């Protein structure tokens, strides 16, 4: 008799893609070819992503580091004769809030005929989440108001607007919002002027008004870094890593090779490979692995926001001074 056994496989762990860059073909006629090849690479490698940013009309590649992206750009050239032009790498930030606020907010608009009116009460606060993985719950938007105060359909419109419009693209940098809990606990409605659109608009204006009071900021990816260099160059490489904001946690020597282990923010590693090669005469190498997202210092977050928003022609947003 044939034996039948149930085989189960665990999900493969795919770390967050922490770096992105714009990309375009050298010749416009190669656009469809570029899309075809990069989509093929996506099927090969789950840590690589390619998509079109509808807001900026740019094509974007995402991966685990500068070298990761460079490898696929080089493969297009070497394997398919396709020359791609890669823009400046950019870090994939996330937006968070750090302070709880209660709200009792009325939205009203009147323009001749029927107007729009919505009244909501509740609380917005930081949500404790796992910042070391893309998986899992990142936000929680809930509504438990009495149906007599606010009809279920209006509550759902409020919740869906947060989920579909606000959370995917935050106010600071149009980056995804993480770690937000919104609880609609009560409110009121007008028998004529309260409809789904009114409660959607209310959700947006509530966020625009209250977000500033919640001490918003950016979080950035931090990486575990391992550097292998000739023993004679270890001190110079360690100094360069520290100059970039890196923290050395361990150092070991095996024969003539020194291994440095540490952690640092991803953007501190941009261009590090060139400095490493210079300091070691081409004999050094390093690897990085995503560790977790961490809040950025205010001055650094502000600088990143100004650079990114300015380059895309978006209004500049100011963080509250600490």
């Amino acid at each position: 008799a044939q034996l039948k056994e149930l085989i189960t496989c665990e999900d493969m762990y795919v770390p967050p893609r922490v770096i992105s860059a714009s990309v375009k073909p050298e010749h416009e006629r190669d656009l469809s070819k570029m899309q075809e090849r990069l989509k093929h690479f996506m099927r090969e490698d789950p840590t690589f992503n390619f998509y079109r940013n509808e807001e900026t009309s740019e094509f974007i590649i995402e991966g685990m580091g500068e070298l990761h992206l460079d490898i696929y750009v080089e493969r297009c050239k070497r394997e398919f004769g396709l020359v791609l032009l890669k823009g400046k790498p950019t870090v994939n930030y996330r937006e968070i809030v750090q302070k709880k606020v209660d709200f009792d907010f009325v939205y009203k608009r009147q323009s001749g005929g029927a107007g729009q009116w919505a009244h909501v009460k509740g609380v917005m606060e930081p949500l404790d989440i796992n910042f070391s993985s893309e998986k899992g719950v990142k936000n929680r938007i809930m509504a438990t108001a009495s149906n007599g105060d606010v009809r279920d359909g209006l509550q759902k419109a409020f919740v869906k607007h947060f989920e579909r419009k606000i959370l995917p693209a935050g106010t600071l940098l149009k980056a995804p919002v993480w770690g937000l809990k919104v609880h609609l606990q009560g409110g009121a409605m007008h028998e004529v002027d309260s409809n789904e659109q009114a409660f959607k608009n209310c959700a947006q204006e509530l966020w625009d008004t209250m977000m500033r009071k919640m001490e918003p900021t950016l979080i950035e990816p931090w990486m575990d870094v391992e550097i292998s260099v000739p023993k004679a160059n270890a001190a110079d490489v360690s100094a360069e890593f520290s100059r970039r904001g890196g923290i050395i946690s361990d150092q070991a020597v095996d024969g003539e090779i020194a291994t440095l282990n540490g952690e640092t923010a991803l953007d501190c590693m941009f261009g590090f490979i060139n400095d490493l090669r210079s300091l070691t005469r081409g004999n050094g190498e390093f690897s990085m692995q995503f560790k977790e997202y961490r809040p950025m210092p205010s001055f650094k977050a502000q600088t990143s926001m100004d650079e990114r928003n300015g380059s895309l022609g978006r209004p500049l947003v100011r963080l509250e001074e600490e």
Side-chain angles (χ1 to χ4, degrees):
Q2 186 177 7
L3 181 64
K4 294 184 178 180
E5 295 183 359
L6 180 64
I7 300 176
T8 60
C9 299
E10 293 184 357
D11 285 344
M12 180 173 60
Y13 170 68
V14 179
R17 305 175 188 100
V18 294
I19 192 171
S20 60
S22 62
V23 66
K24 63 181 180 180
E26 184 179 39
H27 303 292
E28 190 69 24
R29 64 176 181 270
D30 291 330
L31 181 59
S32 60
K33 185 177 180 182
M34 178 191 78
Q35 293 175 273
E36 178 185 349
R37 298 323 310 169
L38 293 179
K39 287 179 180 178
H40 176 76
F41 292 148
M42 281 177 58
R43 293 191 289 270
E44 289 182 355
D45 180 358
T47 65
F48 177 78
N49 190 35
F50 167 69
Y51 67 96
R52 185 175 186 269
N53 185 322
E54 297 298 334
E55 181 183 352
T56 64
S57 298
E58 293 179 307
F59 289 98
I60 304 296
I61 52 176
E62 295 181 316
M64 301 308 300
E66 252 184 314
L67 183 59
H68 189 198
L69 301 184
D70 288 342
I71 286 173
Y72 284 111
V73 171
E74 179 61 26
R75 281 188 63 184
C76 284
K77 180 180 179 180
R78 187 177 66 249
E79 297 176 17
F80 308 106
L82 177 61
V83 178
L84 302 183
L85 305 178
K86 183 168 72 72
K88 180 182 177 181
T90 55
V91 173
N92 291 349
Y93 299 111
R94 300 290 183 262
E95 301 183 19
I96 64 167
V97 296
Q98 304 175 92
K99 185 178 180 180
K100 175 182 176 180
V101 295
D102 297 312
F103 60 85
D104 186 346
F105 189 81
V106 175
Y107 172 83
K108 54 184 177 181
R109 291 290 185 276
Q110 192 71 40
S111 57
Q116 292 189 351
W117 195 90
H119 181 196
V120 292
K121 296 180 181 180
V123 61
M124 293 194 290
E125 59 187 323
L127 177 68
D128 187 21
I129 64 171
N130 179 8
F131 286 104
S132 63
S133 173
E134 287 276 1
K135 293 186 176 182
V137 174
K138 297 305 178 198
N139 302 285
R140 180 170 290 120
I141 314 299
M142 54 194 297
T144 59
S146 165
N147 191 49
D149 292 334
V150 181
R151 290 194 303 272
D152 287 344
L154 302 181
Q155 295 187 56
K156 290 178 180 177
F158 178 91
V159 169
K160 287 181 179 178
H161 187 80
F162 264 93
E163 293 176 340
R164 297 177 180 179
K165 299 297 183 180
I166 295 174
L167 299 180
T171 304
L172 302 182
L173 203 62
K174 299 297 182 185
V177 177
W178 276 16
L180 175 67
K181 180 180 179 181
V182 180
H183 186 184
L184 174 60
Q185 299 168 326
M189 56 187 174
H190 188 278
E191 60 182 20
V192 175
D193 293 344
S194 290
N195 51 40
E196 290 188 5
Q197 190 59 51
F199 273 79
K200 290 178 181 178
N201 292 343
C202 179
Q204 186 64 56
E205 191 158 301
L206 171 68
W207 173 251
D208 293 341
T209 302
M210 306 300 290
M211 181 270 296
R212 297 284 187 175
K213 301 178 182 179
M214 301 181 71
E215 298 181 2
T217 191
L218 301 180
I219 56 175
E220 62 180 342
W222 273 63
M223 315 296 287
D224 281 324
V225 183
E226 182 177 285
I227 311 169
S228 297
V229 298
K231 180 174 63 175
N233 305 125
D236 291 337
V237 172
S238 178
E240 173 61 24
F241 185 70
S242 297
R243 186 188 67 80
R244 291 168 167 267
I247 303 169
I248 296 292
S249 59
D250 182 61
Q251 180 172 333
V253 177
D254 184 6
E256 293 300 313
I257 300 298
T259 301
L260 312 176
N261 289 285
E263 60 179 23
T264 191
L266 173 62
D267 67 344
C268 295
M269 296 300 288
F270 287 175
F272 179 71
I273 186 64
N274 296 324
D275 292 332
L276 181 62
R277 288 168 178 166
S278 176
L279 290 170
T280 64
R281 296 184 179 181
N283 292 316
E285 59 183 31
F286 77 96
S287 61
M288 295 190 301
Q289 182 175 336
F290 173 75
K291 183 179 181 70
E292 62 185 355
Y293 274 90
R294 296 181 187 176
M296 300 172 68
S298 293
F299 73 91
K300 184 178 180 182
Q302 186 68 64
T303 300
S304 298
M305 289 163 52
D306 290 348
E307 289 179 353
R308 184 82 61 88
N309 288 330
S311 68
L312 295 175
R314 296 194 294 239
L316 300 185
V317 181
R318 304 301 302 177
L319 292 174
E320 295 294 329
E321 296 292 335
E322 292 184 345

